[in-house]
Amino acid sequence: MDTLHIIGGGLAGSEAAWQAAQAGIPVVIHEMRPKVETFAHKTGDLAEMVCSNSFRSDDSEQNAVGLLHWEMRQADGLIMRIADAHRLPAGGALAVDREAFSAAVTEAITAHPLIAVDHEEITALPDNGHWIIATGPLTSNTLGQAIQQETGTDRLAFFDAIAPIVYADTIDMSVAWAQSRYDKGETEEERKAYLNCPMNKDQYEVFIDALLAADKTEFHEGETAGYFDGCLPIEVMAERGRETLRHGPMKPVGLTNTHKPEEKAYAVVQLRRDNALGTLYNIVGFQTKMKYAAQTAVFKTIPGLENASFARLGGIHRNTFLNSPTLLDDRMRLRSRPNIRFAGQVTGVEGYVESAAMGLLAGRMAAAEIAGRDLPPPAPETATGALITHITGGAEAKTFQPMNVNFGLFPPVHGLKGGRRGRKDRYKAYTDRAKTLWTDWLDAQAVL
Ligand code: FAD
C-alpha cells in the first residue's frame, strides 16, 4: 500500500492523518516544529491552538459551525473526539483545555500503528507520491515560495484582507440599489453584482467619526513583516484624511440612486456579490482591524445596513492561502500537480474547526485514491460540502478571501419565510437536510 505524506501536523494535518490511517493507509506527517518555529506556536505538539481556546458554537441545529462539529463527530473525527474529552464549561460554545488538547492529539497520533511523525521542514514541492500540504496560515517561507513558483505569485497570498460579509436578505433594498459603476445597459443579473448604499454629507461625517473612535485590534508581535500599503484598513485610510474614503472605496461617481435619481449621493458604500448563490455580499474595500463589536456598530450606521446580519466580520492577518477556486479541483488536488492535495487554512477556509474539517475531507479523499477509489465531495447542502464547494468553485476567484462556515454558503431551502423572522425554522431546515445528506455520504463509504 502506498504511503500518504502530510506536510504540517496542525489541526488539518492531524485530522487528515487520522482519517487516512483509520482507513488502513500508512501515513508520515512532516512537521517542522519544534526545529523551525513560527511567531504564534509555542510548543512542538501537534494540533496546537495558537490563540483562542474555542471551537465556537456547539449548537448543531441552529449554527453552521455547530453542524460542522456534528459532521466531524459522525465521521470519527479525532479533533472533535479529543476536544470533547477536554471540554471546559463555556455555555453553548465548545471551549477546550488547549494544552491538554494538543498533548492528547499528539499522543493519539504517535500511538497509531500506521502513523509516523518526522520533525523536519519540507522546502520544495514533491514530484511523486501522494501528498497533502496542510501547512496553515504560517506556512514556512521557503515552502511558500516553492508554492508560489508553481502557482504564480498572485495565487498565493501571505496576508488576508477580509472585508465584512453581509447576508443578502438582510440588506434593505428600499434604500440600497443594484448597479455596477458606470453601467451601460447591463442585464438585471449583471446589475446584482453590486449593491449600493448612499450617504449624504451628515451621514458620511458621522460614519467617519465612528470609524476614528472605534476600538481596534493590534497586530501580533512578528505578524506585520511585509505589511503592504495596497490594502490599508478603512480606519487607517480615514486617519489619513476625512475625505480619503470618499475619493477611494466610497466614491459616489458613476452611480445613480434608482430610488431617488434626482439626489446626488455624497458617498456610496458598495457591496459586491461574494458567491455564485448570491446569498452573500462583501463591503468593497472595507478590510479593517476594528474589534468585532465596533464593526457591527459602525457598519450598521450605513443606510440600508441598519438591520444587516454579518456572515463574517472583517480582519487583516498574516495568513498564507491559495486562490483555491482557480488552483484546486473538487477533490482538493492541485490542478497542475494532482499528486498534491491541500487541506486546512491554506485552502482559504478560516478557523480551527473549518481547517480540521478540510483535513478530514482531504484525508478521506487521499485514502480512497490510494485504495484505488474515487471519493466525491459531500453534498453542498452539508456544512463540509458547503465549504469545499465554496472554496473550489462557488467563490468569486478574483476577490477570493478566506471564509468561515456560515449558512450563506448553503443552497437555500425553498418555501420558508426569509429575513430574521423565519431564521430559526430556516436554520433547522438547513441542519436537518445536512444531517441526512452527510449520513448518506458516510454510509456510501462504509459499504465500499
Ligand atoms: P496549523 O494549525 O497552523 O498547522 C500547520 C502546521 O504546519 C504547523 O504545525 C506548522 O508548524 C507546520 N508547517 C508550516 N510550514 C511547514 C513546512 N514547510 N514543513 C513542515 N511543517 C510546516 N483560529 C480560530 O479558530 N480561532 C482563533 O482565535 C485563531 N487565532 C489565530 C491567531 C493567529 C496569530 C493565527 C496565525 C491564526 C489564528 N487562527 C485562529 C487560525 C488557526 O490558527 C487556523 O485556523 C488553524 O490552526 C489552521 O489549521 P491548519 O492545520 O491549517 O494550520
Side-chain angles (χ1 to χ4, degrees):
M1 188 66 80
D2 285 353
T3 297
L4 172 63
H5 294 268
I6 298 177
I7 314 179
L11 279 293
S14 301
E15 186 65 60
W18 181 258
Q19 294 291 327
Q22 290 292 87
I25 306 296
V27 179
V28 179
I29 297 180
H30 306 265
E31 167 53 56
M32 68 180 187
R33 290 179 295 112
K35 283 188 199 156
V36 180
E37 296 180 333
T38 77
F39 77 83
H41 293 87
K42 303 279 177 272
T43 73
D45 282 347
L46 302 175
E48 181 177 331
M49 299 168 78
V50 292
C51 188
S52 115
N53 67 333
S54 175
F55 277 35
R56 313 192 328 264
S57 170
D58 201 29
D59 178 352
S60 75
E61 288 195 352
Q62 290 290 315
N63 191 289
V65 80
L67 177 62
L68 206 49
H69 294 174
W70 185 92
E71 291 179 2
M72 287 196 281
R73 286 183 180 117
Q74 297 304 305
D76 178 34
L78 176 73
I79 293 296
M80 288 313 301
R81 177 152 63 73
I82 294 191
D84 287 336
H86 295 280
R87 186 176 193 132
L88 298 173
L94 173 55
V96 304
D97 177 336
R98 132 206 351 264
E99 280 167 26
F101 166 80
S102 315
V105 173
T106 308
E107 200 181 310
I109 291 282
T110 46
H112 199 294
L114 287 178
I115 308 179
V117 183
D118 226 355
H119 286 279
E120 57 170 348
E121 179 190 5
I122 302 288
T123 54
L125 291 187
D127 288 323
N128 314 301
H130 300 269
W131 290 77
I132 295 177
I133 300 184
T135 44
L138 307 178
T139 295
S140 71
N141 287 341
T142 347
L143 185 62
Q145 282 158 12
I147 298 171
Q148 267 197 337
Q149 250 172 28
E150 176 71 22
T151 60
T153 44
D154 55 340
R155 303 280 172 87
L156 182 81
F158 292 107
F159 275 88
D160 58 35
I162 298 167
I165 295 179
V166 182
Y167 289 109
D169 63 355
T170 64
I171 300 168
D172 183 353
M173 290 306 292
S174 68
V175 176
W177 76 97
Q179 180 190 22
S180 59
R181 213 181 286 283
Y182 305 117
D183 79 304
K184 296 185 184 77
E186 300 167 307
T187 64
E188 194 50 34
E189 205 44 37
E190 284 165 347
R191 288 175 75 86
K192 283 194 203 141
Y194 287 91
L195 305 180
N196 304 285
C197 298
M199 279 187 187
N200 62 29
K201 185 168 191 318
D202 289 348
Q203 288 165 330
Y204 179 77
E205 296 299 344
V206 168
F207 178 73
I208 297 295
D209 286 340
L211 269 185
L212 294 174
D215 274 351
K216 327 270 177 348
T217 48
E218 300 299 323
F219 281 102
H220 295 259
E221 208 185 321
E223 194 180 6
T224 50
Y227 182 49
F228 46 96
D229 209 40
C231 207
L232 289 176
I234 41 164
E235 61 277 9
V236 174
M237 282 191 257
E239 278 162 18
R240 291 188 171 181
R242 295 185 70 88
E243 292 290 293
T244 308
L245 281 169
R246 215 169 75 75
H247 296 289
M250 293 174 70
K251 61 177 177 282
V253 297
L255 295 165
T256 305
N257 185 345
T258 48
H259 304 297
K260 295 179 184 168
E262 69 291 348
E263 265 182 36
K264 185 86 195 117
Y266 189 73
V268 171
V269 174
Q270 272 209 310
L271 295 101
R272 181 168 41 217
R273 193 163 72 179
D274 203 70
N275 63 344
L277 294 169
T279 50
L280 301 173
Y281 278 79
N282 68 67
I283 313 186
V284 179
F286 271 34
Q287 57 279 353
T288 176
K289 290 291 280 180
M290 280 188 286
K291 289 193 173 159
Y292 283 172
Q295 289 190 40
T296 313
V298 172
F299 297 142
K300 285 191 174 198
T301 67
I302 298 170
L305 300 189
E306 294 89 344
N307 293 311
S309 286
F310 294 90
R312 71 158 308 155
L313 288 161
I316 301 178
H317 316 95
R318 172 79 174 79
N319 193 357
T320 313
F321 67 98
L322 295 174
N323 189 280
S324 293
T326 55
L327 296 173
L328 300 186
D329 68 13
D330 66 355
R331 267 59 170 177
M332 311 175 81
R333 292 174 297 214
L334 192 59
R335 290 179 196 278
S336 61
R337 289 200 193 206
N339 69 313
I340 300 175
R341 282 188 160 73
F342 279 83
Q345 186 143 326
V346 73
T347 63
V349 298
E350 166 99 12
Y352 303 135
V353 184
E354 287 85 341
S355 298
M358 292 301 99
L360 185 148
L361 198 52
R364 283 187 171 235
M365 285 179 163
E369 192 174 88
I370 291 170
R373 295 194 308 270
D374 173 47
L375 177 60
E381 290 86 356
T382 63
T384 311
L387 268 177
I388 187 69
T389 305
H390 179 75
I391 62 171
T392 60
E396 295 290 340
K398 264 202 246 159
T399 54
F400 183 65
Q401 287 291 322
M403 180 58 96
N404 45 19
V405 69
N406 65 79
F407 287 126
L409 302 179
F410 290 55
V413 178
H414 295 292
L416 290 170
K417 211 188 297 165
R420 281 169 175 266
R421 265 187 288 157
R423 197 156 61 182
K424 205 163 176 216
D425 290 344
R426 211 165 57 241
Y427 288 176
K428 179 74 167 56
Y430 281 135
T431 58
D432 284 349
R433 181 179 66 174
K435 287 174 182 175
T436 306
L437 290 166
W438 182 255
T439 307
D440 292 348
W441 185 74
L442 291 177
D443 288 350
Q445 292 165 61
V447 294
L448 291 170

